[in-house]
Amino acid sequence: DAGVTQSPTHLIKTRGQQVTLRCSPKSGHDTVSWYQQALGQGPQFIFQYYEEEERQRGNFPDRFSGHQFPNYSSELNVNALLLGDSALYLCASSPRGSAPREQYFGPGTRLTVT
Amino acid sequence: AQSVTQLDSQVPVFEEAPVELRCNYSSSVSVYLFWYVQYPNQGLQLLLKYLSGSTLVKGINGFEAEFNKSQTSFHLRKPSVHISDTAEYFCAVRRDSSASKIIFGSGTRLSIRP
């Protein structure tokens, strides 16, 4: 059973550009959460998708947007990139069913903005 | 709102020595508590979790943690560390048993000396 997968592994972008990161959840999981982990810090919650809708959002600007597809996979889009957006972006998926619904993390996408 | 404080940013320890990584949390409601490990250039892996019941929780790789409600602490311990335990360790809280967002501490880097 494949775990949470993310693509690409690494990405280099220039300030002002736009980027799309992708996440495929574990089989049987229907909820996807995104986190940003800046260098030397703990992950920070960006938003969570369930049933193709954004259900929760952290303290991130509107430049950060997302989408969930009918197959439960998800995308994170960041517009007008800033140098401060350089970070490891982690995706986590949670299984269907009753609580507790543990979050399983993918390996992350390392984004570098120059 | 919930918050997590990891009191030590770095903990150096000799191989086969015991270690304790400290974590304190703040919350006005009951929370669930977690410890995650992040090996270099990898995503997050769940070490252990406290949801309810016994306050002493055993996890993978010989780690354990004790929930102390009066001191709002959830310290992680291991009686004898190995070189392979070198990693970043994150304490985290979640508000409830659903897939709600996880709030992470800033991390403690555990470095093992031979």
Side-chain angles (χ1 to χ4, degrees):
Chain A
D1 176 29
V4 179
T5 59
Q6 293 186 242
S7 63
T9 306
H10 296 88
L11 201 53
I12 300 175
K13 289 287 189 177
T14 304
R15 274 182 302 175
Q17 286 188 318
Q18 178 264 344
V19 68
T20 297
L21 311 181
R22 296 176 176 82
C23 172
S24 292
K26 281 174 64 76
S27 176
H29 290 198
D30 62 359
T31 301
V32 173
S33 303
W34 287 93
Y35 293 80
Q36 180 196 65
Q37 185 180 13
L39 195 62
Q41 297 182 24
Q44 287 194 297
F45 176 78
I46 303 174
F47 43 54
Q48 183 181 85
Y49 278 83
Y50 171 67
E51 291 186 336
E52 301 181 48
E53 290 189 13
E54 184 182 293
R55 300 291 178 170
Q56 292 185 55
R57 188 177 183 92
N59 188 25
F60 278 80
D62 292 344
R63 299 186 298 108
F64 289 78
S65 63
H67 188 76
Q68 186 178 35
F69 298 94
N71 67 353
Y72 309 116
S73 66
S74 176
E75 288 182 349
L76 164 65
N77 300 292
V78 186
N79 294 322
L81 284 166
L82 303 174
L83 294 179
D85 295 331
S86 295
L88 180 67
Y89 287 85
L90 297 165
C91 166
S93 70
S94 304
R96 300 185 201 102
S98 57
R101 301 177 68 205
E102 186 177 320
Q103 294 188 19
Y104 294 78
F105 285 82
T109 294
R110 173 78 59 188
L111 172 64
T112 302
V113 182
T114 62
Chain B
Q2 296 83 44
S3 66
V4 178
T5 302
Q6 292 185 244
L7 300 167
D8 305 297
S9 59
Q10 294 187 63
V11 173
V13 63
F14 287 104
E15 193 173 17
E16 298 184 6
V19 69
E20 178 180 83
L21 305 184
R22 297 181 292 168
C23 172
N24 286 90
Y25 69 93
S26 173
S27 177
S28 57
V29 299
S30 295
V31 293
Y32 297 96
L33 296 159
F34 307 83
W35 276 98
Y36 287 85
V37 60
Q38 187 174 38
Y39 298 104
N41 300 314
Q42 294 188 27
L44 298 173
Q45 180 181 4
L46 181 66
L47 270 179
L48 49 78
K49 59 188 175 187
Y50 173 78
L51 302 180
S52 64
S54 173
T55 57
L56 183 63
V57 181
K58 293 191 183 297
I60 62 171
N61 302 340
F63 283 94
E64 64 180 32
E66 185 156 18
F67 170 61
N68 188 318
K69 188 174 182 179
S70 62
Q71 297 186 6
T72 61
S73 67
F74 190 55
H75 300 333
L76 180 70
R77 302 185 183 99
K78 186 170 183 178
S80 176
V81 295
H82 302 120
I83 290 287
S84 59
D85 293 322
T86 297
E88 190 89 19
Y89 291 81
F90 293 96
C91 182
V93 301
R94 198 175 77 193
R95 185 186 65 200
D96 54 37
S97 60
S98 72
S100 61
K101 68 179 181 181
I102 298 174
I103 297 169
F104 290 87
S106 55
T108 297
R109 181 169 299 278
L110 178 62
S111 58
I112 312 297
R113 301 170 177 175

